Amino acid sequence: MTLDPLALERRRDQRFRRAPALRVRDQRQALAFVDDVGFCSTFYCFPEGVPCLWEAVAGRARPRWPRRSHHDAAIGLTWQLKDSLPAARQVYYGKLLKGRPMLVALDVFPAFYALVRGRQRARDYRTEYEAGHLSQTGRRLMDALTREHPQYTGDLRANTFMLGPHRTREFERAMAELQQGLFIVKTEERYEPTFSYRWTCWRRGCPVRWTRAAGCPASGRSST
């Protein structure tokens, strides 16, 4: 049976909280939303119909980005929630889909893990690099994180000689690659003295219940 496009949009509006009466107002409701839909983007509105936390907070589909985003209540709450939910280890955060930040429900995360890692659950990033599945920049970043972890973004860039503005895109592409490959995980967002992410190797930064649910026992001895 083919679903009418308008009917599909109405169902998405209902399920994805894209209506004022259904909108997400706090962390408890945000967690319930992520658990209900399974995974969602933080701010990016996928044309394929992926749930979006910002839409759920705004209570409408495809909200327009305002001129003064710092004064927008929906953007402010979405920013807070995309920090607080992973910090409380209530959801998984990472660039898992098309290089976009995603929040994933803990009961759904093992499916993502299986898709990314398959049976090679203890694979070494150096093996992936030698097989041509990891960029040279990605390998350098993993070398640095393996030697010292966790590291804030600025320290990681300094330790890999990527502080220059002309290296920003290269750095961001490699970090997205490592997140998509489940090699690294963000463990903190720091706002003082400057805004920065803190990163560590995936199996060192994930709660035991995540790795056990995915069939990957946590171990401080893993190279990844």
Side-chain angles (χ1 to χ4, degrees), residues 76-91:
L77 180 55
T78 304
W79 192 274
Q80 174 188 329
L81 292 170
K82 65 96 175 171
D83 291 350
S84 60
L85 287 172
R89 299 192 171 186
Q90 294 177 308
V91 302

Side-chain angles (χ1 to χ4, degrees), residues 114 117-122:
R117 288 296 183 96
R119 294 181 179 275
Q120 300 177 10
R121 290 177 175 165

